[in-house]
Amino acid sequence: MKELSQEEWSEQLKEDKNAVILDVRTDEEVEEGYIPGAKIIDIYKGQEFVEEVEKLDKNKNYYIYCRSGKRSAQACTILDQMGYANTYNLQGGFMNWHGEVEGDD
């Protein structure tokens, strides 16, 4: 896992053709808005989270975020332990995100 600042995350994501954005927040949090293109898998779902993650391509680069950066750091650790090569945690999470947002009416 690499911790990336908002700027680093945004810049690296733009250049990465092998990127997958993972939102590990709850459905209620996602309703407040999300980063466009994000795949939503709630880390609080425990075993269901692990089962969903197992379906993902281990050769992709995963840019993971939550509300504040704590759950996404946990998610990065889980993916790392499952053999995913590249995981990137968004420091400060969605609450500090200044990029594009979808779904926040």
Side-chain angles (χ1 to χ4, degrees):
M1 168 181 67
K2 283 195 182 125
E3 293 277 345
L4 298 179
S5 71
Q6 299 272 331
E7 294 75 26
E8 291 168 328
W9 205 79
S10 209
E11 286 302 309
Q12 193 168 314
L13 188 56
K14 267 189 234 163
E15 304 297 316
D16 192 341
K17 301 292 179 237
N18 203 27
V20 175
I21 303 170
L22 267 189
D23 182 332
V24 297
R25 299 174 302 153
T26 65
D27 291 341
E28 293 75 30
E29 289 171 308
V30 171
E31 285 173 13
E32 296 167 16
Y34 56 92
I35 297 172
K39 182 167 184 52
I40 297 151
I41 307 176
D42 182 355
I43 193 168
Y44 284 154
K45 294 212 166 126
Q47 186 58 36
E48 191 180 317
F49 172 79
V50 171
E51 288 167 7
E52 286 299 311
V53 166
E54 283 175 339
K55 298 174 187 173
L56 303 174
D57 184 344
K58 287 192 164 116
N59 297 312
K60 299 275 186 193
N61 300 323
Y62 290 91
Y63 293 80
I64 305 175
Y65 73 97
C66 64
R67 191 180 66 80
S68 67
K70 289 187 176 63
R71 281 174 284 167
S72 50
Q74 287 178 315
C76 285
T77 301
I78 292 167
L79 268 71
D80 291 349
Q81 290 169 346
M82 292 171 70
Y84 292 80
N86 297 307
T87 59
Y88 304 100
N89 185 36
L90 177 61
Q91 290 176 334
F94 189 73
M95 62 186 196
N96 290 328
W97 179 250
H98 296 298
E100 200 177 332
V101 173
E102 282 185 18
D104 63 339
D105 298 328

